Structures are given as structure tokens and as C-alpha cells.
């Protein structure tokens, strides 16, 4: 626990207190729930109070300025923004503590009586800042006693290196292209699509890379965290995509919002509302702006359409066509997701389709297509299970090739280090004296 | 078998992580980087206040990156991976083509070009009435390199159109037509002095001056010149040689530079280098050992520097408004002129020039490279 707190303190000095308050709050509320198990109304009140504390923290630190901007635009008021910085990982640790308290309230887990053990669950450094959203029940046993085995440590190292390489070598490189696009004066259809593909790749390799690192680090220390991504870009429908993308968030909303609202065991109208609410909240979880909410609602529309009629059609459709349908709308949705507000997102979407009379391509877009072509090919291959298949079914089965594994670990570490070190290159442009 | 492989994986992982960690602590800190031409980050101050405010952690990161063991080797590994494994054509804008390292100069910053041309024209209007004013633009090496190798580059035609439009009636000396890629170092942005005599002669002819012939110069070579692109690109490219040319005028030249002493601006014959006072010459080989070897030409960045050629058979004077390229070509004008003044208005306000220079009947030459004029806010 101390190491995890120190890890968090390194990046967030003041907000370490917030992390502790969140831990203390849910620790105490859960113990009180456990104590009052035979008083349902009281336990419900305690659970609601615990969730309210978490939501209040999240609401203030993540959404207060969004609420103020929205209120100002609706009511014409002039409430000043707070400018309060967003604490690292708050969306993750508040969701973990809420799930814990709700699980205690539901009787799914027993309240942890040892604060150090509980705080370790909340602050556990591998997944503290970027998930996956781990439930207490998933690591309850390991928090108390775990064994670090050679096989697990090696597997953890492999997974960690894969995640690190995904994040640093692929996601950051694609992110650089996104920056180039944003800084460029060229507006062309090709450049908008390059940007859209680059951002979709960046988002996946960044987020899944962090999850891989977390899972790998956890495994090195004897924890088994849940999987968070399962090659989402091979999906043949939006529904399948969401079964493969940020899995722990999807199941959180399913178990703690969607099902309590009645899920799909309600009238059609209410079911549509349930879906819309869950996905608007999912959008809002990703960021405090209207384009995130719109993005969530767009997902809701597709999920509803697929549930009502599209999925049957997709099942009968030629498989590559179903892939194209899924990727097309997922990429479009990520452009909306990454827009600078609603107007910026709409402008980006218009650019994808050449609305506004922009040219098909320009010198810059053609140049960067050529320059980043191989990276895109690697990213596409890396987004499929092909490499995993080769690693598991070919490399490890071959008595000689299996020794490549430590070599690949070393290569990944060296390349990542080289990339990070080069990232600090900061020439003083002396020749421009 | 599986266990042995797992142990090897763990051993390699720990070796790299802890090996680099131990090397970081054991190896002495580097004070400055020649490749980046800057001082490297120093260890952060560790104090309770610094830790609580996060300042210590903020300072720790650049320090660790700057002092990382085998930093240059890792940078080269990354640059080669990007180029050869990922097929990326440039790395942070730097590229290798035709044996030359360069940096993409793109896009055209028309606002900056207009601002700079207007600035020069305005200064000319205020200070040089009735004098012979010339301007020459030095193409960057991308003019010769980028279009043929498919790299991004300026629209040079439009760029020059802007410059001509705002420079008005001043006499233009075209360098684009007489220069080639071979006039530049392979690893640096600058032109090579040993290639400059025809260019200097071309400029001098346009101004009506006669320069000493090419065969009056003697070549001297400083090996292992790693230009600014060498460090920036981090690719394993052979270093250049820096050749400088001397003749009777450069050897007997007297050089003064404007500097601040006791809150007063004075012309001095000395500069300080690594704590040592050096007598200024046209060439200063000691400065070749500094952060930028190109500083050996007229001591690099100086606001105003005057070069007298006491044995010149003329009393003509030349004032060059210039960037760094001017340092290496100016010595070739000695003999054709008895006094050359180099002015860099990025280091001194043009409004103060009359305090230090008596403008009367000198020839005036604006000599700027494309990358400078394509950037705004540089002139004072």
C-alpha cells in the first residue's frame, strides 16, 4: 500500500489525500453496512451515502467546470470556472470503490476489516491510473495471500513489455501524426482520414497498452487482473465491439447502472431510455464535454439498431462487409470523441467527407501517408490476434524458437527506452542565431 | 525447459532495468550536449517544500532523461528504428537524403515573410537613404534536396514573390541560380566556406566590388565537424570537415565585437570562451571546440561585429545585415572592402544602430537565409 501511495504521490501530491479520503470513506461505509446487515433500510442509506461521496468527488473534480459552462450557456449566467485540475485516475478509483461498497451492500463480498488491505485494493499502483477497473471480489484472495511464481513473473514481464511497446512504439507514434494533423494548415479528405485512422489506432494501442502493463505488473506481484481488451477492431458489429473494448467499464455500467434500472426486462420505451442513459453516462465517463455524451448516444443508437434488426442482417452479410461497417462507424465515432467540442467534432466529420469543398489530397497528406504507411500496416496487424497466435502456437511450440522470447523482451525494452530517451531530445536551435 | 526460459526472461528484464538504473547513478552527469547545443538538466533540489509542491518530481524527469546512460546511443537506435524498420521518411522533421541530413522547412509562413521583408525595407527607408542597398536570399538546402526526394518544402516561388514585393526597389542579387547542394555541409544547415568564392564574387560583382582571386586563399581543415543536423537526426552519418580560407587580408584583419561591459556597450577585441579570454580573429579555431563548431567563423552569434582589413587597397566599406550564414562569407569580401560591419538585428534593436554605426556611403547588403525569413518575431 505504501509503495502504491508513493507511486501516486509522485504524480499527484495534493490529491493523494483525495485517494485516502475515498479509501477511508468506502472502508467505513462498508463496515457500517456489514454491521447493519439486518437493517435493510439503513444499509441502503449507507450505500447511497457512500456512492454519493464518490460521485461528489468525481462530480466536483471532473465535471464541475463542464456543469458551469453548460449552466452559463443555458441561463446566460457568468459563473466563473474553477479551473480545478483533474486528479489522475479519479475515474478509475472512484468506480472501484463504488463497486466495492455496492457489492458489500448486495452481499456479494464481505467488508474488509483491515484498512491496509482495503487501501491496497484502492491504491494498487499497476491499475490505479488507467485501469482496468478491478472489482474487489476479483483480487480479494490475492490481497490477503498470494504467491509470486517464476512462471507468473515471466508471464507478467512479457505482458508488461507488450503493453509498453504498444503504448510507446505504436500509440505515441500515431499520436504524433495526430498532432501533425492538428498543427497542419492542409485541409484535405485524405488528411482527415489519416487523422481518423491514426487516432483510432492511438486510442486502442494506448489504452490497451496501459491495460497490458497493468495486467502484467499485477501478475508479477501475484495478482490476476481481469482482461480489458480483446482485439476490438476485429469485431463484426458495434455490439461485439463493446464486448471487446474496455470490458471492465462495460460490465461496470451493466452491473451497477443498466441492470438496476431494469435492463432489458422492461417495456420497450423504458428499455430504450435505459440504453440511452447508460451510454450517455458511458460517454460522460470518458470526458466532460458534450461531444463525449453525443458519442455515447451514437453508440446507443447503433446498439439499439443492432438489437432490433441490424444484427440479423450482419450475421447474413459477407464477413468483410460487416468488419467494414463496424470499423467505419467506430472510426467516425472516435472522430466525434476526439473533436474539440461539438463544433470541432462536426468540422472534423465534415472534413472526412469533403464537405466544404476541400481537396481530396494535398502534399502533406500524401507525404505522411507514405511516411506512416508501414506503421499503419504494423498497427493493423497488431490489432488482430495474429501475433498472439504466432507467439503462442508457433514460437512456444518450437524448441528453438521459444528461446526467442527473452530476446524479444530485451528488444522491446531497448526500443522503448530508445524511444523514451529520444523523446527528451530538445535542441536549442542555435544555428538560428 | 519452460522454467529455464522464464528465468532467463526475468534475468534479462532485471538486468536491463537495474543495469540502466545503476549506470544512471554511477555515471557522472554531463554538463552540456553538443548535439543539442544546450546545457543538460541538473539534479533537482530535494527539499520538503519541493516534494510537497511536486517541483522536485517535475525537475527529476528532465534530469533523468538528460542524464540517461548511453543517451546518444539510444537516440541513434530510435532514429534507425524509425527510418529502417518503420520506414518513416523523417524523424521529428529531420531526414537523410542524397547523403545529406536536413530538416523540412515547411510550410510557407507568408505572414512571417511579409513581416520580415517589411522590417528590412522599413529599416532601409529610415537609415540608408541615398545609399546602395542590395539584398540576397540564401536558399536552404531543401531547395535542392526536398523536391527531388519527395520531402515537404516551401513554395519557393511564392516565398520570393513576397520578399520581392515588399523589398521594393532594392537591388536583388539572385543566389538561387548559382548555388547547388554541394555548397552545403552534409550534416549542417550552413554553406561551406570553401564553396563560397564564386558566390561571394557574384555578390561583389553586383555591388561593383572586386574581390581577391580564389587562388589567393589557402585552405585549412578542421576535421570531425558534426553539424547541427548530425545530432538532431541521430543517424550514423560520417562527420564533415570544416575548411576555412585564409589570405593576407584575413590574417591581418582586426576584429571588434559589440559587447556590454559595466552596463555600457563597447567594442572589444576579445570574447570569453569557457572562462578564457580570446583575442578575436576572423577565424577562431578554439571556438570550434564549443557547442557549435561553426562559431569559429567570426565568433558566431554577435550583435555587431566589425572587421578591418588595414592592408586593403580600397576604402570601400560594406555593412551586411545577416544571419549565421554571413559569418563564413564575410571574410571572402575582405580586400574588396577595407571595413566590413556585420549586423544581426535579432540581437540588437534596429533603432539603436545609429548609436554604434555611422551610416554614410557604405554598401548595404541584406543577406538572409530562407529559414530565418520564414519565421516571425525574430527581428528587433
Amino acid at each position: 500500500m505504501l509503495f502504491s501511495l508513493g507511486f501516486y504521490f509522485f504524480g499527484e501530491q495534493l490529491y493523494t489525500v483525495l485517494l485516502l479520503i475515498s479509501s477511508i470513506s468506502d472502508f467505513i461505509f462498508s463496515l457500517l453496512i456489514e454491521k447493519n446487515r439486518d437493517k435493510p433500510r439503513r444499509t441502503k442509506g449507507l450505500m447511497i451515502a457512500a456512492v454519493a461521496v464518490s460521485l461528489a468527488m468525481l462530480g466536483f473534480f471532473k465535471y464541475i467546470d463542464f456543469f458551469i459552462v453548460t449552466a452559463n450557456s443555458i441561463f446566460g449566467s457568468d459563473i466563473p470556472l474553477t479551473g480545478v485540475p483533474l486528479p489522475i485516475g479519479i475515474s478509475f478509483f472512484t468506480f472501484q470503490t463504488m463497486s466495492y461498497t455496492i457489492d458489500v451492500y448486495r452481499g456479494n463480498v464481505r467488508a474488509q476489516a483491515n484498512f491496509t488491505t482495503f487501501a491496497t485494493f484502492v491504491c494498487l499502483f499497476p491499475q490505479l491510473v488507467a485501469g482496468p477497473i478491478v472489482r474487489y471480489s476479483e483480487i480479494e484472495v490475492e490481497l490477503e495471500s498470494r504467491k509470486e511464481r517464476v512462471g507468473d513473473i515471466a508471464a507478467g514481464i512479457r505482458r508488461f513489455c507488450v503493453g509498453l511497446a504498444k503504448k510507446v512504439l505504436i500509440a505515441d507514434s500515431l499520436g504524433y501524426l495526430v498532432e501533425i494533423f492538428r498543427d497542419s494548415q492542409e485541409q484535405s479528405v485524405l488528411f482527415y482520414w489519416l487523422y481518423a485512422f491514426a487516432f483510432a489506432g492511438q486510442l486502442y494501442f494506448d489504452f490497451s497498452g496501459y491495460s497490458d502493463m497493468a495486467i502484467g505488473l499485477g501478475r508479477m506481484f501475484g495478482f490476476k487482473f481481469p482482461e480489458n481488451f480483446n482485439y476490438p477492431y476485429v469485431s463484426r458489429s458495434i455490439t461485439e465491439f463493446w464486448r471487446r473494448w474496455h470490458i471492465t467499464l462495460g460490465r461496470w455500467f451493466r452491473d451497477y447502472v443498466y441492470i438496476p434500472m431494469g435492463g432489458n426486462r422492461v417495456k420497450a420505451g423504458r428499455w430504450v431510455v435505459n440504453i440511452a442513459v447508460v451510454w450517455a453516462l458511458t460517454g460522460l465517463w470518458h470526458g466532460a464535454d458534450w461531444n463525449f455524451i453525443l458519442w455515447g448516444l451514437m453508440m446507443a443508437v447503433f446498439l439499439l439498431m443492432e438489437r432490433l434488426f441490424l444484427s440479423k442482417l450482419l450475421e447474413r452479410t459477407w464477413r468483410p462487409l460487416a468488419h467494414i461497417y463496424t470499423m467505419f462507424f467506430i472510426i467516425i465515432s472516435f472522430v466525434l470523441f476526439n473533436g474539440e467540442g461539438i463544433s470541432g467534432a462536426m468540422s472534423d466529420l465534415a472534413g472526412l467527407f469533403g464537405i466544404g469543398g476541400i481537396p481530396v489530397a494535398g502534399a502533406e497528406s500524401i507525404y505522411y501517408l507514405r511516411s506512416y504507411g508501414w506503421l499503419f500496416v504494423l498497427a493493423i496487424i497488431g490489432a488482430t490476434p495474429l501475433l498472439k497466435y504466432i507467439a503462442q502456437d508457433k514460437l512456444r511450440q518450437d524448441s528453438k524458437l521459444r528461446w526467442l522470447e527473452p530476446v524479444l523482451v530485451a528488444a522491446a525494452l531497448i526500443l522503448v527506452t530508445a524511444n523514451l530517451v529520444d523523446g527528451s531530445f530538445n535542441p536549442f536551435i542555435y544555428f538560428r542565431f | 525447459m519452460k522454467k529455464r526460459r522464464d528465468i532467463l526472461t526475468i534475468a534479462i528484464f532485471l538486468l536491463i532495468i537495474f543495469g540502466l538504473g545503476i549506470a544512471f547513478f554511477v555515471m557522472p552527469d554531463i554538463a552540456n550536449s553538443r548535439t543539442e547545443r544546450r546545457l543538460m538538466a541538473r539534479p533537482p533540489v530535494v527539499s520538503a517544500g519541493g516534494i510537497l509542491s511536486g517541483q522536485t518530481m517535475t525537475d527529476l524527469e528532465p534530469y533523468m532523461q538528460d542524464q540517461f546512460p548511453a543517451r546518444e546511443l539510444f537516440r541513434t537506435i530510435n532514429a534507425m528504428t524509425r527510418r529502417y524498420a518503420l520506414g518513416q521518411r523523417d524523424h521529428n522533421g529531420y531526414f537523410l537524403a542524397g547523403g545529406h541530413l536536413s530538416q523540412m522547412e515547411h510550410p510557407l509562413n507568408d505572414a512571417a515573410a511579409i513581416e520580415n521583408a517589411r522590417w528590412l525595407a522599413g529599416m532601409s527607408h529610415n537609415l540608408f537613404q541615398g545609399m546602395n542597398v542590395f539584398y540576397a536570399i540564401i536558399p536552404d538546402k531543401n531547395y535542392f534536396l526536398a523536391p527531388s526526394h519527395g520531402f515537404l518544402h516551401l513554395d519557393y516561388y511564392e516565398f520570393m514573390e513576397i520578399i520581392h514585393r515588399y523589398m521594393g526597389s532594392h537591388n536583388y542579387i539572385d543566389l538561387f541560380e548559382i548555388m547547388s547542394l554541394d555548397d552545403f555541409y552534409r550534416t549542417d544547415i550552413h554553406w561551406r566556406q570553401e564553396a563560397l568564392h564564386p558566390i561571394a564574387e557574384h555578390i561583389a560583382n553586383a555591388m561593383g566590388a572586386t574581390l581577391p582571386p580564389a587562388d589567393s586563399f589557402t585552405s585549412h581543415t578542421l576535421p570531425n565537424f558534426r553539424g547541427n543536423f548530425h545530432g538532431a537526426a541521430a543517424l550514423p552519418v560520417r562527420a564533415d570537415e570544416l575548411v576555412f580560407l585564409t589570405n593576407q587580408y584575413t590574417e591581418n584583419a582586426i576584429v571588434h565585437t559589440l559587447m556590454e561591459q559595466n552596463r555600457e556597450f563597447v567594442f572589444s577585441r576579445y570574447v570569453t570562451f569557457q572562462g578564457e579570454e580570446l583575442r578575436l580573429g576572423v577565424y577562431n579555431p578554439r571556438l570550434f571546440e564549443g557547442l557549435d563548431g561553426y562559431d569559429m567563423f567570426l565568433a558566431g552569434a554577435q550583435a555587431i561585429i566589425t572587421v578591418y582589413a588595414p592592408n586593403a587597397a580600397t576604402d570601400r566599406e560594406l555593412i551586411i545585415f545577416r544571419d549565421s550564414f554571413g559569418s563564413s562569407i564575410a571574410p571572402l569580401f575582405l580586400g574588396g572592402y577595407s571595413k566590413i560591419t556585420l549586423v544581426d538585428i535579432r540581437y540588437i534593436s534596429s533603432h539603436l544602430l545609429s548609436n554604434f554605426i555611422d551610416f554614410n556611403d557604405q554598401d548595404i547588403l541584406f543577406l538572409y537565409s530562407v529559414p530565418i525569413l520564414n519565421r516571425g518575431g525574430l527581428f528587433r
Side-chain angles (χ1 to χ4, degrees):
Chain A
M1 182 195 79
L2 283 178
F3 184 84
S4 293
L5 278 175
F7 174 80
Y8 193 78
F9 182 81
F10 194 86
E12 288 282 22
Q13 294 73 44
L14 190 60
Y15 288 148
T16 306
V17 178
L18 195 71
L19 186 63
L20 281 171
I21 290 172
S22 178
S23 305
I24 292 166
S25 162
D26 283 273
F27 176 72
I28 292 172
F29 276 118
S30 298
L31 282 180
L32 289 174
I33 289 169
E34 197 71 71
K35 243 184 181 175
N36 294 279
R37 185 60 74 195
D38 52 344
K39 298 166 187 150
R41 286 186 65 181
R42 187 173 289 184
T43 56
K44 190 170 188 177
L46 287 165
M47 184 272 288
I48 289 170
V51 169
V53 170
S54 292
L55 287 178
M57 277 199 294
L58 193 60
F60 180 76
F61 287 101
K62 187 168 178 178
Y63 299 108
I64 186 70
D65 281 344
F66 169 64
F67 294 144
I68 291 173
V69 168
T70 306
N72 283 346
S73 62
I74 292 172
F75 303 112
S77 52
D78 193 23
I79 307 166
L81 299 179
T82 63
V84 58
L86 181 69
I88 296 172
I90 190 169
S91 306
F92 292 95
F93 69 73
T94 50
F95 268 46
Q96 285 201 180
T97 54
M98 278 193 282
S99 74
Y100 165 73
T101 310
I102 295 169
D103 282 352
V104 171
Y105 165 74
R106 288 175 176 173
N108 294 342
V109 292
R110 285 191 60 80
Q112 172 58 254
N114 184 323
F115 178 72
T116 308
T117 306
F118 177 68
T120 305
F121 158 68
V122 180
C123 311
L124 204 54
F125 79 94
Q127 40 73 236
L128 177 59
V129 294
I133 300 168
V134 180
R135 290 186 191 179
Y136 179 75
S137 58
E138 289 167 329
I139 56 168
E140 186 180 7
V141 176
E142 291 146 5
L143 282 166
E144 301 283 358
S145 74
R146 60 191 172 275
K147 274 191 175 173
E148 289 89 8
R149 297 180 184 87
V150 167
D152 280 339
I153 295 172
I157 287 171
R158 286 194 293 270
R159 189 71 184 267
F160 176 78
C161 290
V162 167
L164 197 59
K166 280 163 81 172
K167 156 72 185 152
V168 176
L169 301 181
I170 302 181
D172 289 355
S173 303
L174 292 171
Y176 186 62
L177 182 56
V178 169
E179 275 179 39
I180 288 171
F181 168 79
R182 286 288 183 216
D183 293 341
S184 169
Q185 293 169 359
E186 180 186 311
Q187 288 207 318
S188 67
V189 175
L190 176 60
F191 218 176
Y192 274 104
W193 278 103
L194 276 180
Y195 154 69
F197 274 102
F199 180 67
Q202 182 196 6
L203 198 59
Y204 169 66
F205 284 102
D206 190 276
F207 204 174
S208 70
Y210 270 120
S211 291
D212 288 336
M213 284 190 270
I215 292 166
L217 276 171
R219 195 149 178 201
M220 283 186 227
F221 293 103
F223 291 97
K224 280 194 177 157
F225 295 149
E227 291 296 333
N228 214 18
F229 289 86
N230 183 24
Y231 304 100
Y233 289 155
V234 301
S235 304
R236 284 187 289 149
S237 68
I238 306 290
T239 309
E240 186 186 353
F241 177 84
W242 278 104
R243 279 194 218 112
R244 293 169 172 271
W245 178 277
H246 205 176
I247 297 164
T248 57
L249 180 74
R251 64 177 196 171
W252 195 99
F253 274 105
R254 182 196 64 203
D255 293 347
Y256 301 110
V257 181
Y258 181 65
I259 290 175
M261 286 175 80
N264 55 3
R265 294 179 180 174
V266 287
K267 287 181 180 170
R270 177 61 198 264
W271 172 62
V272 170
V273 170
N274 288 353
I275 293 271
V277 168
V278 165
W279 284 95
L281 290 174
T282 303
L284 196 59
W285 182 88
H286 284 86
D289 211 332
W290 282 103
N291 57 312
F292 292 105
I293 296 174
L294 206 61
W295 170 77
L297 290 173
M298 177 183 168
M299 288 295 138
V301 169
F302 277 97
L303 292 169
L304 282 169
M305 285 197 305
E306 286 184 4
R307 190 77 66 88
L308 291 173
F309 64 93
L310 210 53
S311 56
K312 284 178 186 165
L313 197 68
L314 287 168
E315 279 168 22
R316 290 197 299 269
T317 307
W318 185 47
R319 288 177 68 153
L321 206 62
H323 284 298
I324 290 169
Y325 148 81
T326 307
M327 282 313 296
F328 178 79
F329 286 108
I330 286 297
I331 285 173
I332 296 282
S333 81
F334 283 149
V335 170
L336 176 63
F337 181 95
N338 197 42
E340 286 162 7
I342 295 273
S343 60
M346 290 304 153
S347 164
D348 291 344
L349 288 173
L352 287 174
F353 301 101
I355 297 168
I358 60 173
V360 174
E364 271 190 83
S365 52
I366 291 170
Y367 173 79
Y368 285 111
L369 176 63
R370 289 175 64 195
S371 192
Y372 279 79
W374 265 113
L375 187 64
F376 276 120
V377 170
L378 284 178
I380 289 167
I381 293 170
T384 69
L386 183 66
L387 294 178
K388 188 180 177 186
Y389 164 75
I390 291 170
Q392 284 186 344
D393 293 3
K394 300 290 176 198
L395 283 186
R396 287 193 200 156
Q397 304 308 322
D398 188 300
S399 60
K400 284 180 185 162
L401 285 179
R402 72 177 61 172
W403 288 98
L404 264 180
E405 200 172 276
V407 177
L408 290 174
V409 164
L413 277 177
I414 287 168
L415 291 180
V416 164
T417 306
N419 195 289
L420 292 173
V421 170
D422 198 25
S424 70
F425 182 74
N426 178 22
F428 175 49
I429 310 301
Y430 197 68
F431 61 86
R432 301 205 191 282
F433 67 71
Chain B
M1 178 70 100
K2 184 182 179 301
K3 194 161 187 176
R4 274 195 291 164
R5 188 191 60 200
D6 286 345
I7 289 170
L8 185 63
T9 301
I10 296 168
I12 286 174
F13 181 79
L14 294 178
L15 189 72
I16 291 174
I17 299 292
F18 288 104
L20 288 172
I22 290 166
F24 173 77
F25 284 108
V26 170
M27 286 170 71
D29 284 354
I30 298 163
N32 55 53
S33 163
R34 280 196 75 166
T35 58
E36 293 165 67
R37 282 122 168 94
R38 68 176 174 91
L39 296 173
M40 305 303 266
R42 308 294 303 153
V45 178
V46 180
S47 65
I51 290 171
L52 288 173
S53 70
Q55 192 57 48
T56 303
M57 290 76 151
T58 306
D59 294 344
L60 183 63
E61 197 165 321
Y63 167 66
M64 291 183 75
Q65 284 183 319
D66 274 8
Q67 304 296 347
F68 201 85
R71 186 167 179 273
E72 294 304 321
L73 173 66
F74 278 115
R75 289 195 53 242
T76 299
I77 290 171
N78 189 47
M80 292 181 70
T81 308
R82 302 257 153 211
R83 180 176 165 84
Y84 298 108
L86 296 179
Q88 290 190 338
R89 296 179 57 71
D90 70 279
H91 181 42
N92 298 329
Y94 298 98
F95 64 89
L96 172 64
H100 276 257
L101 291 168
S102 190
Q103 183 184 21
M104 286 193 289
E105 185 67 38
H106 176 86
L108 169 63
N109 185 345
D110 47 3
I114 291 169
E115 173 196 318
N116 290 328
R118 270 185 171 162
W119 192 285
L120 298 179
M123 194 167 61
S124 174
H125 177 78
N126 293 333
L127 296 173
F128 316 139
Q129 290 286 343
M131 297 166 71
N132 290 322
V133 183
F134 302 86
Y135 71 100
I137 308 301
I138 306 163
D140 60 317
K141 59 166 41 172
N142 289 328
Y143 177 73
F144 307 100
L145 199 59
S148 55
H149 288 86
F151 289 94
L152 294 172
H153 55 86
L154 292 186
D155 181 339
Y156 288 94
Y157 180 80
E158 194 181 338
F159 176 81
M160 289 309 300
E161 280 283 302
I162 291 171
I163 302 296
H164 292 323
R165 196 182 317 142
Y166 288 92
M167 287 301 285
S169 58
H170 298 93
N171 303 299
Y172 174 59
I173 306 169
D174 186 2
L175 302 184
F176 283 69
E177 290 302 315
I178 62 160
M179 285 183 64
S180 72
L181 185 61
D182 291 338
D183 296 331
F184 294 87
Y185 294 106
R186 285 179 298 100
T187 65
D188 197 75
I189 191 174
H190 293 108
W191 51 14
R192 297 182 301 127
Q193 196 190 38
E194 67 271 30
L196 292 186
H197 193 270
I199 298 166
E201 211 158 43
H202 176 71
I203 294 171
N205 287 343
M207 295 192 295
T210 307
L211 300 187
D215 60 10
S216 70
F217 289 94
T218 307
S219 299
H220 307 266
T221 302
L222 294 171
N224 209 21
F225 172 54
R226 296 176 196 278
N228 44 44
F229 293 145
H230 194 277
L235 287 167
V237 174
R238 190 165 44 85
D240 278 299
E241 286 180 337
L242 189 144
V243 176
F244 60 97
L245 307 174
T246 58
N247 64 5
Q248 55 164 321
Y249 302 109
T250 63
E251 282 169 357
N252 294 309
I254 299 162
V255 184
H256 289 163
T257 185
L258 182 71
M259 60 170 53
E260 193 181 348
Q261 277 180 358
N262 303 323
R263 296 189 172 185
E264 276 190 19
F265 286 101
V266 293
F267 280 98
S268 169
R269 293 192 65 179
Y270 295 89
V271 288
T272 306
F273 175 69
Q274 294 178 350
E276 188 184 335
E277 203 164 59
L278 297 179
R279 187 174 171 130
L280 262 178
V282 170
Y283 306 113
N284 305 276
R286 278 280 282 125
L287 298 188
F288 184 72
E289 300 158 21
L291 287 179
D292 191 342
Y294 198 74
D295 281 356
M296 66 85 61
F297 294 110
L298 286 170
Q302 306 291 331
I304 299 178
I305 194 160
T306 56
V307 189
Y308 299 90
N311 50 346
T314 175
D315 58 356
R316 289 185 69 164
E317 294 184 14
L318 172 66
I319 299 174
I320 306 176
F321 287 84
R322 55 82 181 224
D323 54 27
S324 54
F325 285 74
S327 298
S328 53
I329 197 170
L332 307 185
F333 291 123
L334 287 171
Y337 291 92
S338 63
K339 180 184 175 187
I340 299 171
T341 305
L342 293 101
V343 183
D344 195 331
I345 52 169
R346 290 168 300 166
Y347 295 98
I348 184 166
S349 166
S350 46
H351 303 295
L352 298 176
L353 292 178
S354 307
N355 298 338
F356 305 107
I357 302 169
D358 183 19
F359 296 105
N360 41 60
D361 61 348
Q362 301 99 329
D363 288 342
I364 304 289
L365 172 64
F366 292 116
L367 181 63
Y368 284 102
S369 60
V370 169
I372 289 296
L373 295 181
N374 197 43
R375 267 164 191 72
L378 292 177
F379 292 161
R380 294 165 67 186

